[in-house]
Amino acid sequence: MSEVVNRVTAHGGRAWAALIGFLLAVYAVAAVGALASADAASVYTSLDLPAWAPPAWLFGPVWTVLYATIGVAAWLVWRRQAAPKRKPAIAWWGVQLALNLGWTPLFFGLGAYGAALIEILLLVVATGATILLFSRVSKAAALLLVPYLGWVCFATALNAAIWAANG
């Protein structure tokens, strides 16, 4: 975290504004997801869940932390303005963020568990591609996305189990 603080203070207000912009983007996705799933906890607990499903209360804290890492990772890549691979990496970051945005309305809003499974599989691929491209620009940024990919893979397995039991 000290690396982040040092980089921000060394490059002034533009860096702060960019960091805030990336964080606002990811938390806007979170806010839209929250609107699309206002009754997510009751929907989730009403489903036939596998024994290994986490409790509903765990999702909020996990996603809060993951969204912060997603935003900071993009900012670290953005900071490497001389890196030739930066633009495609940021573009894939946008793709995975858009896919992240689409899952919640499909799963909780529409109850379309099969469509949500296809969508989250695309999210896994896009997140993997983003990590690969980020690694060519900033190893730290790529590493920040690894827990996110792990959680999305877990959520994919959970989505598949829910679809199988409730589809």
Side-chain angles (χ1 to χ4, degrees), residues 27-40 67 101 104-105:
Y27 285 111
V29 166
V32 170
L35 291 173
S37 62
D39 61 344
Y67 280 128
L101 174 65
T104 303

Side-chain angles (χ1 to χ4, degrees), residues 1-26 66-83 86 89-91 93-94 96-97 130 134 137-142 144-145:
M1 190 59 140
S2 64
E3 175 191 354
V4 171
V5 173
N6 290 340
R7 284 181 180 219
V8 171
T9 56
H11 293 92
R14 185 167 179 253
W16 277 113
L19 177 58
I20 291 168
F22 283 113
L23 291 172
L24 284 174
V26 295
L66 291 175
Y67 280 128
T69 64
I70 295 166
V72 171
W75 176 76
L76 288 172
V77 169
W78 174 84
R79 300 277 301 143
R80 303 278 177 96
Q81 299 201 5
R86 181 179 67 96
I90 293 294
W93 179 85
Q96 68 75 31
L97 195 61
T130 303
F134 273 25
V137 179
S138 167
K139 299 289 186 213
L144 280 172
L145 293 182

